[in-house]
Amino acid sequence: KAGVTQTPRYLIKTRGQQVTLSCSPISGHRSVSWYQQTPGQGLQFLFEYFSETQRNKGNFPGRFSGRQFSNSRSEMNVSTLELGDSALYLCASSPGQRNSGNTIYFGEGSWLTVV
Amino acid sequence: AQKITQTQPGMFVQEKEAVTLDCTYDTSDPSYGLFWYKQPSSGEMIFLIYQGSYDQQNATEGRYSLNFQKARKSANLVISASQLGDSAMYFCAMRLLGDDKIIFGKGTRLHILP
């Protein structure tokens, strides 16, 4: 059974540019969540998508957005990149039933560097 | 609001010794789950062990066990017979049942010494 796949793994962007990251969840999982990890702020929840709808959202500016496709694959987009957006972006996959206990699995993450 | 506290920023442990990583949590919701994840330098968040708030027994997964003390709101991870490959960052995390959002602690960096 394939795990959570995130692409690209590493990327470097310039301030002001935009970036799109992709996450393919485990087959059969309908929920995808995104997290940002930085040395200063730790791991912070960005948003969650379930059945192509945003179901939960963290406290991030509107430059951070996402979407989910009918096959449950999700993308997140960051526009007008700032140096502080440099981080590891992690995607988590789960079946989507909110009482499903421990069935949340993470991908390897996408390392974004903004210069 | 929910909160996870990990008070040990770093730990050094001799190989083959047991190690306990501390975690306390705060929530007023009675239904929640507690997780421990391992994060090597590659960045992947690897699931180790889970404890539900209504579980009567402490969770165990191989060399990992979770010392769950509900009244103290404590969920310490115990790794028995540590190995060099256990060197990594360890995160304690919590999720309310009914919510997919996970709240993470700041993490503990574990170094296993040969």
Side-chain angles (χ1 to χ4, degrees):
Chain A
K1 189 175 185 181
V4 182
T5 303
Q6 290 188 244
T7 56
R9 285 277 285 140
Y10 305 93
L11 67 167
I12 301 173
K13 290 287 188 178
T14 305
R15 271 181 301 174
Q17 286 185 317
Q18 69 153 7
V19 66
T20 298
L21 308 178
S22 178
C23 173
S24 293
I26 291 170
S27 177
H29 283 191
R30 296 167 63 193
S31 169
V32 173
S33 299
W34 290 89
Y35 292 81
Q36 182 197 62
Q37 184 178 16
T38 60
Q41 298 299 317
L43 281 144
Q44 294 183 287
F45 172 77
L46 279 156
F47 31 64
E48 182 221 350
Y49 285 86
F50 176 76
S51 292
E52 302 178 65
T53 301
Q54 189 181 86
R55 189 162 69 169
N56 204 346
K57 188 178 187 302
N59 188 25
F60 277 81
R63 301 186 297 107
F64 292 81
S65 63
R67 59 178 175 169
Q68 186 178 35
F69 302 95
S70 58
N71 62 357
S72 293
R73 188 178 71 87
S74 176
E75 290 181 346
M76 67 161 282
N77 183 277
V78 187
S79 62
T80 320
L81 283 165
E82 301 176 359
L83 295 179
D85 298 332
S86 295
L88 174 65
Y89 290 88
L90 287 160
C91 162
S93 160
S94 75
Q97 291 85 31
R98 286 175 153 175
N99 291 324
S100 55
N102 64 336
T103 52
I104 299 177
Y105 299 95
F106 283 83
E108 291 184 304
S110 292
W111 293 90
L112 170 65
T113 301
V114 182
V115 298
Chain B
Q2 294 75 44
K3 187 177 179 182
I4 296 283
T5 302
Q6 295 181 254
T7 57
Q8 306 152 308
M11 288 185 70
F12 289 83
V13 174
Q14 209 67 39
E15 189 181 9
K16 296 180 184 156
E17 288 184 352
V19 56
T20 298
L21 304 181
D22 295 340
C23 172
T24 57
Y25 61 92
D26 188 24
T27 181
S28 57
D29 197 301
S31 303
Y32 53 88
L34 296 160
F35 301 77
W36 277 93
Y37 287 92
K38 172 184 178 181
Q39 188 179 46
S41 56
S42 62
E44 182 182 8
M45 197 69 76
I46 301 168
F47 167 77
L48 295 178
I49 197 166
Y50 171 85
Q51 180 86 40
S53 60
Y54 297 113
D55 293 344
Q56 294 297 312
Q57 295 194 331
N58 287 346
T60 60
E61 291 281 354
R63 293 186 301 114
Y64 305 106
S65 60
L66 198 152
N67 184 2
F68 181 46
Q69 298 188 42
K70 195 169 182 177
R72 297 179 58 186
K73 294 189 174 179
S74 167
N76 297 342
L77 176 71
V78 180
I79 306 174
S80 63
S82 57
Q83 303 170 355
L84 295 178
D86 294 333
S87 293
M89 197 74 171
Y90 288 79
F91 290 95
C92 180
M94 175 171 62
R95 167 196 178 208
L96 299 183
L97 294 186
D99 192 344
D100 265 345
K101 180 173 70 175
I102 299 176
I103 309 296
F104 287 89
K106 294 292 187 184
T108 295
R109 183 164 296 280
L110 178 63
H111 304 268
I112 305 297
L113 303 172

